[in-house]
């Protein structure tokens, strides 16, 4: 004969069985959490400052500078620059790849520049008699001799028309010594990654936005001083005195 449990004992047995079932249910339903691999993040692109934004109102619309290709140290900025040169003078620090436009009170506007490579640099004192917007490019005869493909753009053939493909870019500032054209220029360039390097055939190249800013602020007749690079100065002397 089956012995009957008291109501209190039966209730306790029921509760213990329910708890065990619940615990067993939690154990069997728990699933391992899969590890989620982190999504690789692309490096943040530097924000283009307003001074290097696109210039759609130019004769040939100038695109924004890709500042990811231009180290921040080459960006245009006003700096302290004590010098005995008078305000308005343009100073090209060839060894350090900077151009300074001297202002009053010991200040200067500083621009990063590309300079002439070995054998194609010029230095000394001169002046900037005039500037040109969107100039034609006339490669010198000795350059055409070295690169015959430039013959269609020779002086005899009228040079290369202005435009974004023109090596002189949006502006050119012409450098003279006395009454002689040195054939060297300060000019714009769309080759962002050449700023801060010695790559040109002697000219001083700038970002198009920077050369426009410089040309707007330099007066015709201003003095220019080009400081030589010690490693290239003897070669520059040969060219400057030819």
């Amino acid at each position: 004969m089956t012995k009957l449990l008291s109501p209190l004992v039966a209730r306790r047995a029921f509760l213990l069985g329910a708890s065990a079932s619940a615990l067993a249910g939690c154990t069997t339903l728990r699933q391992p959490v899969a590890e989620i691999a982190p999504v690789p993040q692309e490096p943040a692109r530097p924000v283009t400052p307003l001074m290097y934004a696109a210039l759609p109102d130019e004769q040939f619309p100038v695109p924004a500078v890709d500042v990811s290709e231009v180290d921040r140290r080459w960006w245009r900025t006003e700096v302290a620059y004590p010098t005995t040169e008078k305000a308005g003078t343009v100073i090209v620090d060839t060894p350090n790849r900077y151009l300074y436009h001297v202002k009053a009170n010991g200040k200067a506007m500083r621009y990063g520049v590309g300079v002439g490579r070995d054998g194609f640099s010029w230095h000394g004192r001169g002046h900037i008699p005039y500037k040109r917007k969107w100039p034609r490019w006339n490669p010198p005869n000795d350059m055409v001799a070295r690169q015959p493909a430039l013959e269609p753009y020779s002086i005899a053939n009228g040079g290369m028309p202005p435009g974004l493909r023109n090596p002189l870019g949006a502006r050119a500032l012409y450098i003279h010594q006395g009454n002689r054209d040195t054939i060297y220029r300060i000019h714009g360039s769309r080759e962002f990654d050449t700023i801060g390097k010695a790559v040109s055939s002697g000219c001083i190249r700038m970002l198009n936005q920077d050369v426009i800013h410089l040309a707007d602020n330099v007066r015709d007749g201003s003095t220019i001083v080009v400081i030589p690079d010690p490693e290239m100065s003897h070669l520059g002397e040969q060219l400057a005195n030819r």
Side-chain angles (χ1 to χ4, degrees):
M1 183 175 181
T2 304
K3 186 177 179 180
L4 296 176
L5 299 176
S6 68
L8 179 59
V9 173
R11 178 175 175 78
R12 288 179 178 174
F14 173 78
L15 292 176
L16 288 172
S19 298
S21 298
L23 290 172
C26 290
T27 301
T28 55
L29 291 177
R30 181 181 294 274
Q31 297 294 329
V33 178
E35 293 187 5
I36 300 175
V39 178
Q41 299 293 322
E42 294 185 1
R45 291 177 62 86
V47 177
T48 302
L50 183 60
M51 64 182 173
Y52 291 135
L55 300 174
D57 296 330
E58 280 287 320
Q59 179 181 351
F60 301 93
V62 175
V65 174
D66 183 353
V67 291
S68 68
E69 295 189 25
V70 185
D71 193 287
R72 187 179 290 269
R73 62 179 164 157
W74 307 125
W75 293 10
R76 182 199 321 162
T77 185
E78 184 177 271
V79 297
Y81 190 69
T83 177
T84 57
E85 299 292 344
K86 65 181 181 180
T89 300
V90 173
I91 300 176
V92 179
D93 183 349
T94 305
N96 293 305
R97 316 297 194 245
Y98 286 122
L99 181 150
Y100 297 89
H101 186 211
V102 179
K103 304 174 75 173
N105 302 320
K107 301 285 188 180
M109 187 60 69
R110 187 183 73 188
Y111 309 81
V113 297
V115 300
R117 62 186 184 274
D118 289 2
F120 293 92
S121 61
W122 174 87
H123 67 269
R125 295 183 69 90
H127 64 282
I128 300 170
Y130 54 90
K131 303 159 290 185
R132 292 288 183 269
K133 293 183 177 181
W134 295 103
R136 298 183 73 86
W137 179 53
N138 299 298
N141 292 331
D142 57 348
M143 181 182 287
V144 174
R146 292 192 306 271
Q147 304 176 55
L150 297 178
E151 176 62 34
Y153 309 120
S154 66
I155 296 173
N157 289 322
M160 178 184 286
L164 291 175
R165 292 183 60 252
N166 186 303
L168 296 184
R171 304 287 188 275
L173 289 73
Y174 295 73
I175 303 173
H176 286 202
Q177 276 188 316
N179 295 322
R180 182 173 68 90
D181 185 348
T182 66
I183 74 167
Y184 294 100
R185 317 284 186 240
I186 300 169
H187 65 81
S189 175
R190 63 176 182 168
E191 298 179 67
F192 310 136
D193 61 341
T194 64
I195 302 302
K197 300 176 183 177
V199 292
S200 74
S201 295
C203 291
I204 307 301
R205 62 172 60 183
M206 307 176 69
L207 299 171
N208 275 316
Q209 281 82 344
D210 280 350
V211 80
I212 290 171
H213 185 270
L214 179 68
D216 285 347
N217 288 280
V218 170
R219 293 183 178 182
D220 290 351
S222 294
T223 297
I224 181 169
V225 179
V226 179
I227 300 170
D229 187 328
E231 296 182 0
M232 300 187 291
S233 60
H234 66 289
L235 297 170
E237 285 283 355
Q238 296 172 17
L239 292 172
N241 297 324
R242 64 185 174 182

